[in-house]
Amino acid sequence: MILVYWMIFLSVPLVSSIDKMLTVYGRVIGVESSQIIATSLDSCLAICHRQSNCILAFLNSVGHCSFFYNNTTRIIDVEEISEEKNQVVGFKCSLPDQSCPRVLSNATLELPVLNVFWRKASNGWKLIKCLDGWRLFDRSNNSYVCMKFFELSFGSSRLVAESVCIENDSKLSGVANSKETLWIRGKLTTGDWDGAWLDGERKCDTSEPNCLNYIWSDGYTVGNEALANNLFSPNNTATKQSCLTVFAEKGPHLNAVSCTNYKMAVGVMCGYQLK
């Protein structure tokens, strides 16, 4: 497949990365744009680059430029095609200063400010993004999870937390690593011991007071990397404090709490997996 690259740089001082328009011969399939104009390729790319919420521009063979924005959809498919078809797609992405990947499949195409990732597909690329207001996490098992913190009335139960997630078409979410845990902790701005409900429940024998055998029910969290050296379990009673919260204390950020008698919840972390 023949590829062509157009690099457009922001007019800003030196920084660690710059937003650029990286283009390929291709077309957008499966979704229509609400904004289409007749223009040149250079103008098509420049307009998208200037608009902070534009993530992709597509110029078809008759010179019609379509723009796609961060709130357009959660999925955009880009199909790579031959140069002879004279159709070009421009991805907006963040790359290190002055860099240009020689082969597009080697590039990590992402726009962190807008929670946008582009994943290589068999015949092109697929946009990966969350709904507005949700945070995208790229997990090590090659899955993408969208998470959002919802405030709760002080002392809300785990059942209430689960219902809030269901009402928002998501699930009570587990955590996969310290990056996610710290992000959630940053949402807690009240007392040090106030917490946010998480998925995960310990299934332990009474002879294992500090076991980390947490069972995740959200369908996308695996392993216990987030728990290692980061779990506060003061009573050493795994069978009584079997559920999890994130709390704002400066030490360990995960707190083992009672599934039914915890009275310090101020929020819940909900999530869903992008597929």
Side-chain angles (χ1 to χ4, degrees), residues 45-219:
L45 296 174
I47 290 171
C48 182
H49 186 264
R50 287 196 301 266
Q51 296 178 341
S52 61
N53 203 34
C54 183
I55 57 177
L56 182 143
F58 168 48
L59 189 75
N60 66 16
S61 58
V62 295
H64 290 165
C65 179
S66 302
F67 301 103
F68 297 85
Y69 297 90
N70 192 39
N71 59 356
T72 302
T73 179
R74 284 193 287 176
I75 299 294
I76 297 178
D77 289 303
V78 173
E79 180 184 33
E80 289 185 271
I81 59 177
S82 64
E83 180 180 0
E84 290 74 19
K85 294 186 178 180
N86 197 30
Q87 299 183 79
V88 176
V89 173
F91 302 86
K92 183 184 287 183
C93 58
S94 296
L95 293 171
D97 296 349
Q98 310 302 324
S99 69
C100 180
R102 294 182 60 188
V103 181
L104 189 56
S105 59
N106 292 340
T108 299
L109 300 186
E110 58 181 299
L111 197 59
V113 173
L114 296 180
N115 278 329
V116 170
F117 285 77
W118 296 96
R119 183 172 64 189
K120 190 71 177 72
S122 59
N123 63 339
W125 293 84
K126 182 181 290 289
L127 169 77
I128 302 296
K129 71 175 293 291
C130 297
L131 293 170
D132 288 349
W134 293 72
R135 170 68 184 271
L136 178 64
F137 288 96
D138 181 6
R139 293 191 168 179
S140 59
N141 56 346
N142 198 32
S143 68
Y144 297 85
V145 174
C146 300
M147 299 172 69
K148 185 174 181 178
F149 174 81
F150 290 92
E151 291 185 0
L152 300 176
S153 299
F154 183 75
S156 291
S157 69
R158 196 170 190 263
L159 288 176
V160 169
E162 290 174 334
S163 67
V164 168
C165 293
I166 292 172
E167 290 168 2
N168 287 276
D169 297 322
S170 58
K171 299 178 180 180
L172 186 62
S173 183
V175 286
N177 50 55
S178 59
K179 178 181 178 181
E180 295 178 6
T181 304
L182 288 172
W183 178 75
I184 300 168
R185 179 178 176 269
K187 302 293 183 181
L188 301 171
T189 58
T190 52
D192 286 348
W193 291 93
D194 296 345
W197 284 110
L198 298 174
D199 182 37
E201 186 171 352
R202 280 198 285 204
K203 302 297 182 181
C204 304
D205 186 86
T206 54
S207 63
E208 302 176 88
N210 289 312
C211 88
L212 299 181
N213 184 31
Y214 273 85
I215 305 301
W216 309 105
S217 63
D218 57 22

Side-chain angles (χ1 to χ4, degrees), residues 158 197-206 208-209 211-216 227 231-233 235-245 255-262:
R158 196 170 190 263
W197 284 110
L198 298 174
D199 182 37
E201 186 171 352
R202 280 198 285 204
K203 302 297 182 181
C204 304
D205 186 86
T206 54
E208 302 176 88
C211 88
L212 299 181
N213 184 31
Y214 273 85
I215 305 301
W216 309 105
L227 302 172
L231 179 64
F232 184 69
S233 185
N235 294 333
N236 295 330
T237 52
T239 56
K240 293 182 179 180
Q241 294 180 319
S242 298
C243 286
L244 278 177
T245 64
N255 192 11
V257 300
S258 168
C259 296
T260 56
N261 294 321
Y262 178 66

Side-chain angles (χ1 to χ4, degrees), residues 5-7 20-24 89-91 93 95 101 104 107 109:
Y5 300 93
W6 294 71
M7 311 303 291
K20 305 171 184 178
M21 298 298 293
L22 187 59
T23 71
V24 300
V89 173
F91 302 86
C93 58
L95 293 171
L104 189 56
L109 300 186

